[in-house]
Amino acid sequence: MCGIVGYVGKRNAKDVILDGLKRLEYRGYDSAGIALVRNGSVEIRQKVGEIRNLEELLDNESRRGISFESYTGIGHTRWATHGAPSDINAHPHADQSGTVAIVHNGIIENFVELKERLTRQYHVHFRSETDSEVIAQLIGIYMRDAESLEDAVYAATQDMTGAYAFAVISSKDPNKIVAVRKDAPLIAGIGKGENFIASDIPALLKYCKEIYLIENGEMVVVTADRIDIFDENRNPVRREVFHVTWDVDAAEKEGYPHFMLKEIYEQPKAIEETIARRLDEAGNIRLDGISLTKEDLANISRIYIVACGAAYPAGLVGKFIIEKLAKIPVEVDVASEFRYRDPLVDERTLFIAISQSGETLDTLAALRAAKAKGARVLSVVNVVGSSVARESDDVFYTWAGPEIAVASTKAYTTQLTCMYLLALHMGRTLGTISETDYHALLAALREIPGKLADYLRDVREVEALAKILYTRDQVFFIGRGLDAAVAYEGSLKLKEISYINSFAIAAGELKHGTIALMEPGTLVLCLATQDALYEKMLSNIQEIKARGAHVLTVAKAGNRAVEAQSNEVIYIPDCRDELTPLLSVVPLQLFAYDVAKERGCNIDKPKNLAKSVTVE
């Protein structure tokens, strides 16, 4: 969601902040702004649209002789929740006196009540439609009697409910940033004679690789020489330094036209890394940091896999493979629904949270709800030190590296890889699969990166098909078994970045309504990679083909019978049925990418979407 960057030091704060905001563009935003402390006042500039619009505004003012030289400041990229995207609703927001400025990620749930109170009691005039302005106005009121900025910030947080991370500067305390975290990501970067705050690591990589991960309920006070962390009761907190092991180059395009395409091509390496990190010298699965003994697993009566977005279809694959290998019942749920019902969770429940960022608010809330009921929590996440990881009993890290494009690709396939490794470990530990089957499936899994790399060497056919089919306004995806899960992910990718009305369904459900929508020319992407269901799937394809649908099928190499019922066929390398999702999803990713390119869409930053959804 929204991006936050703050700086205190000896450099020009404007340049550092704008650079950091650009590195957070992948999170999604619709406006940008900056606030600087200079000459005893706080100066704010906001602009709807891209960061370059803000830069043009600043450059135009600089040419007129207005200086933005400052050593303390905060910046923000906003994704609208309260109030439409506009200059006036863009962050930062100031209090009525103009001495306080804030940037905010999240939602203040009681902002209406606070707004009414501030208007009635203090005659505050609000300029924007946002919930965020309440924070600035509250702090401004408390600054009247406070001894320091952090005193005023602390007092304001006692009045607010919701999920948020916000940062504050004030002309009354000019060499300081105060920031608070509650259910939204926040970090502090450690420099020499300069320090930083941000909502995500890429914003700071150019300047520092040592950071503090700010925990829930904590306040951080940042000056050029110090970073002090306090808990929710204002007790000092000692925090270990987190060392970032990847560099800024890993977050660059490296010659690719888009991050999404780069990340598609990084999948063989990411999958290989995720597997290799979990194998011992003998080639057996080793789950370091995850203690799931035979006794632990025997005590589990059910598993919940809970996720959002692309992680959800990864969970569907996880359900299939865990039930097949470990023989434990698995339920997959959307996190935003799970948290608002009363699921049957107890001490015999294993709760598996899947999240790329580890900061998805709904997933985090569902995790906490399950944990409160006694469940054991295992998370599958890509970001080390993220909130989901820190609040889990066990963590299974993917090794995808930084994923910048909003549409997930390599994070998704590495999540699948974790599901396979986890299921194999469970099955072997419980004795529900034989040693022969264990080694055969693990060996086949280890072959996937090579097969995927071979497939990606020539994907011109997908690009050619996209040039023909990109004008369609409605697309259906169908499949059976594991192919149904992949269909959901393929449909999500297409709608995310091309804005085509895309719909996925289990093929066996066609006759229960959806087949009524099949007309001459309707584009249907059919997945037919499951040998055990191949004949059934051919029948479904015949049904839609008979109604004039344009059929594009994904099948295993060698299964040519499908050509008679398809307009076009994309072949993936042959592999075991259980592992096809790791291969079959890739042509669907490429198809979505190529279609979006033909339609002129903003592929890495699709409209209205954000990389990490940290609000409800």
Side-chain angles (χ1 to χ4, degrees):
M1 299 295 285
C2 311
I4 292 174
V5 181
Y7 174 78
V8 184
K10 300 175 182 177
R11 307 178 200 240
N12 188 338
K14 172 180 74 74
D15 297 336
V16 175
I17 292 166
L18 289 175
D19 180 72
L21 291 178
K22 289 176 184 176
R23 298 179 189 278
L24 295 180
E25 285 187 293
Y26 69 93
R27 294 170 68 92
Y29 70 103
D30 47 48
S31 60
I34 191 168
L36 304 168
V37 180
R38 57 182 304 275
N39 298 332
S41 66
V42 173
E43 294 197 18
I44 296 176
R45 298 293 186 274
Q46 311 128 298
K47 201 68 181 171
V48 72
E50 298 185 6
I51 292 172
R52 65 186 180 196
N53 297 345
L54 175 63
E55 289 182 304
E56 289 175 5
L57 173 67
L58 295 170
D59 290 343
N60 288 337
E61 294 195 21
S62 294
R63 283 191 287 270
R64 297 202 307 268
I66 300 173
S67 171
F68 291 100
E69 190 74 19
S70 170
Y71 305 108
T72 303
I74 52 178
H76 190 264
T77 48
R78 176 183 185 246
W79 192 86
T81 54
H82 296 71
S86 67
D87 289 352
I88 199 68
N89 287 331
H91 294 217
H93 291 291
D95 73 318
Q96 190 158 267
S97 70
T99 60
V100 169
I102 67 98
V103 291
H104 166 228
N105 178 13
I107 291 177
I108 305 303
E109 293 175 352
N110 62 335
F111 86 99
V112 173
E113 171 194 327
L114 292 173
K115 190 172 183 178
E116 290 175 351
R117 174 188 138 197
L118 290 167
T119 302
R120 181 182 65 254
Q121 188 172 347
Y122 297 100
H123 308 290
V124 170
H125 172 68
F126 284 81
R127 292 179 288 272
S128 75
E129 303 170 88
T130 68
D131 58 327
S132 305
E133 189 182 345
V134 165
I135 305 172
Q137 301 288 8
L138 264 179
I139 295 170
I141 295 297
Y142 285 118
M143 277 292 286
R144 297 176 183 178
D145 301 315
E147 294 183 5
S148 66
L149 179 57
E150 51 265 46
D151 287 343
V153 170
Y154 179 76
T157 60
Q158 304 310 296
D159 293 343
M160 297 186 299
T161 60
Y164 51 77
F166 67 84
V168 191
I169 56 174
S170 172
S171 58
K172 294 183 178 179
D173 214 341
N175 301 309
K176 180 186 295 179
I177 300 173
V178 179
V180 178
R181 181 203 167 167
K182 184 176 183 291
D183 295 328
L186 184 69
I187 62 172
I190 307 166
K192 294 181 179 179
E194 60 183 1
N195 288 305
F196 313 79
I197 59 103
S199 50
D200 207 353
I201 290 172
L204 306 184
L205 277 180
K206 182 177 177 181
Y207 306 98
C208 64
K209 285 195 172 184
E210 294 187 336
I211 65 171
Y212 291 125
L213 300 169
I214 308 305
E215 299 282 1
N216 218 32
E218 290 181 343
M219 173 193 292
V220 58
V221 180
V222 180
T223 64
D225 301 315
R226 293 178 61 91
I227 297 176
D228 294 303
I229 304 172
F230 302 92
D231 66 17
E232 56 190 6
N233 297 314
R234 298 196 71 183
N235 299 310
V237 173
R238 295 190 66 181
R239 179 66 35 79
E240 288 188 12
V241 174
F242 179 80
H243 299 274
V244 182
T245 57
W246 46 282
D247 57 30
V248 70
D249 291 339
E252 298 296 339
K253 293 179 185 174
E254 297 178 0
Y256 287 91
H258 298 93
F259 280 113
M260 183 179 177
L261 188 62
K262 171 179 178 278
E263 289 157 8
I264 288 172
Y265 276 87
E266 287 175 337
Q267 288 178 113
K269 179 182 177 183
I271 294 170
E272 186 173 35
E273 276 285 297
T274 300
I275 296 171
R277 297 279 180 170
R278 293 297 184 177
L279 298 182
D280 62 21
E281 293 180 359
N284 294 306
I285 296 171
R286 179 192 66 227
L287 299 185
D288 290 341
I290 301 174
S291 176
L292 286 174
T293 64
K294 186 172 184 177
E295 183 180 4
D296 292 333
L297 292 171
N299 189 52
I300 294 170
S301 61
R302 66 159 55 86
I303 296 172
Y304 283 101
I305 300 178
V306 178
C308 300
Y312 177 77
L316 294 176
V317 174
K319 169 185 170 65
F320 179 95
I321 200 69
I322 290 173
E323 289 186 339
K324 180 179 177 67
L325 301 185
K327 309 303 182 187
I328 302 173
V330 181
E331 183 175 339
V332 185
D333 210 344
V334 176
S336 56
E337 293 297 317
F338 181 92
R339 63 182 293 202
Y340 288 116
R341 62 185 181 87
D342 189 21
L344 299 175
V345 173
D346 57 24
E347 293 81 4
R348 297 189 65 195
T349 301
L350 176 64
F351 180 97
I352 301 178
I354 308 179
S355 172
Q356 185 279 138
S357 67
E359 302 293 349
T360 307
L361 182 63
D362 285 319
T363 304
L364 193 55
L367 180 159
R368 290 168 179 163
K371 201 167 185 179
K373 289 190 170 189
R376 179 169 181 164
V377 175
L378 185 154
S379 61
V380 177
V381 296
N382 190 42
V383 180
V384 176
S386 59
S387 298
V388 168
R390 297 201 302 276
E391 296 190 30
S392 300
D393 299 302
D394 305 286
V395 185
F396 202 140
Y397 284 115
T398 60
W399 285 84
E403 188 178 68
I404 305 301
V406 167
S408 181
T409 52
K410 62 176 180 172
Y412 170 78
T413 48
T414 53
Q415 288 166 356
L416 293 185
T417 304
C418 291
M419 290 289 98
Y420 287 113
L421 291 169
L422 185 61
L424 278 164
H425 173 76
M426 288 179 169
R428 188 189 200 192
T429 302
L430 287 169
T432 48
I433 56 171
S434 68
E435 283 292 298
T436 300
D437 288 342
Y438 168 85
H439 287 291
L441 187 53
L442 181 57
L445 180 63
R446 296 181 71 177
E447 292 175 356
I448 292 294
K451 291 184 176 184
L452 183 52
D454 289 341
Y455 172 77
L456 285 168
R457 287 193 178 96
D458 185 3
V459 291
R460 288 172 293 181
E461 63 174 342
V462 179
E463 186 175 13
L465 288 170
K467 289 181 182 294
I468 298 169
L469 301 172
Y470 77 94
T471 58
R472 305 303 170 99
D473 294 323
Q474 182 170 263
V475 179
F476 293 88
F477 288 73
I478 64 171
R480 284 179 172 267
L482 284 171
D483 280 344
V486 178
Y488 293 131
E489 172 58 10
S491 175
L492 176 62
K493 281 293 146 294
L494 187 65
K495 72 179 68 170
E496 276 183 313
I497 61 170
S498 73
Y499 318 140
I500 292 174
N501 182 20
S502 177
F503 181 79
I505 189 172
E509 287 292 293
L510 276 169
K511 289 182 179 178
H512 298 279
T514 304
I515 202 165
L517 301 175
M518 297 297 154
E519 298 176 348
T522 301
L523 177 58
V524 185
L525 272 76
C526 304
L527 288 113
T529 72
Q530 301 294 290
D531 292 342
L533 295 166
Y534 189 64
E535 296 300 327
K536 298 282 188 185
M537 191 62 199
L538 286 181
S539 296
N540 293 133
I541 294 173
Q542 288 170 353
E543 290 171 352
I544 59 173
K545 186 66 175 173
R547 287 156 178 83
H550 185 110
V551 175
L552 170 57
T553 302
V554 177
K556 288 182 187 176
N559 286 350
R560 309 194 75 88
V562 74
E563 291 179 3
Q565 300 299 327
S566 305
N567 295 86
E568 300 94 10
V569 181
I570 298 172
Y571 288 106
I572 61 170
D574 191 20
C575 69
R576 292 179 57 139
D577 275 12
E578 299 96 328
L579 300 177
T580 57
L582 285 165
L583 297 174
S584 60
V585 74
V586 177
L588 303 186
Q589 294 169 347
L590 288 164
F591 183 74
Y593 172 85
D594 288 325
V595 166
K597 184 173 67 174
E598 292 298 323
R599 292 168 72 94
C601 300
N602 190 339
I603 292 172
D604 286 334
K605 294 176 282 185
K607 64 183 181 182
N608 301 331
L609 299 183
K611 183 64 177 172
S612 179
V613 182
T614 55
V615 297
E616 289 192 66

